[in-house]
Amino acid sequence: MENNNQLEQINHTETVELKGLISNLNKLEELTDKRAWVDKAKELEEEKKLIKNELADKYTEIALENEINDFEINKIEQIKEELAKDDEYYKALIDSAHREIREFEMHYEQKLEPTTAEDINKIMYLTNKLQNKINTLFNQNKSHHHILEDFEELLKRSNYDQLYGQALIDLQDYAINTINTSIADETVRQGLLSSVRERFKSLTQELLPKDYTTLLMIKDELNKRNELNSKGIFETLLNVKKTNGLGYAKNSIGGGRERFHNHKLGVSAKNS
């Protein structure tokens, strides 16, 4: 995609773990930028012109038209097969990248899990304490702005206490559910949900390795891509040209070949 600053940023990230994933993302980008359907449409037209120039003095007008039509039918099928392979490869890359992202997410999230009995007990204590605070926070009769200020106060300790931050992240779903059930005003509720989700995302990025932030950017880039559909776009180009009267198999597939045999060299050729 043109002027993709985020992809540029990803490519300049120093990472070993995510190298393969970034390589696949760049392959997807190259396939999109390649616009193979445009080159194939040009190739078809150029080869048709070559045939016309080479055979113009040897065939009658009808025989030449049918020769070109026969070539065109076969060439179009060949191009469709080639583009379909590109589409399949593109989809395979996307599916593979999604699987890798899920594996990396699990890998990084596991790093937030406590490893000692002492840490487990501390997180359990903090979780119970924070759950009560979150419940009070989003059930108070304050403005959107003041609730967010109180929420930021709640987050401050995570700047120097990683276990506290981990306990908070564990309560993200609880916080979202509390907002959904406690805030009646739709505008205020949606505003809070957006702000709180974004803040939890930032907190996760702060606690996890730098590669996790890169992973989120890769995931965002991947979600912009669905399918290549180069074969479908090529077929659309053919239909547009046909609609505009610019050719592409004016005669039927069967009829074109049959008429050509009736006007072959020795029957309708100019130099027979």
Side-chain angles (χ1 to χ4, degrees), residues 137-152:
L137 176 67
F138 294 116
N139 275 286
Q140 57 187 335
N141 187 22
K142 287 186 177 180
S143 68
H144 175 183
H145 175 72
H146 284 105
I147 291 174
L148 285 179
E149 280 187 344
D150 290 347
F151 183 60
E152 283 297 329

Side-chain angles (χ1 to χ4, degrees), residues 20-38:
L21 199 50
I22 293 171
S23 174
N24 281 349
L25 187 61
N26 283 314
K27 286 175 186 174
L28 290 169
E29 184 77 359
E30 286 166 16
L31 281 169
T32 305
D33 286 345
K34 185 177 165 186
R35 293 168 60 85
W37 53 89
V38 175

Side-chain angles (χ1 to χ4, degrees), residues 114-126:
T115 54
T116 66
E118 183 182 350
D119 285 349
I120 290 170
N121 289 331
K122 185 176 180 182
I123 282 188
M124 287 175 63
Y125 166 77
L126 288 169

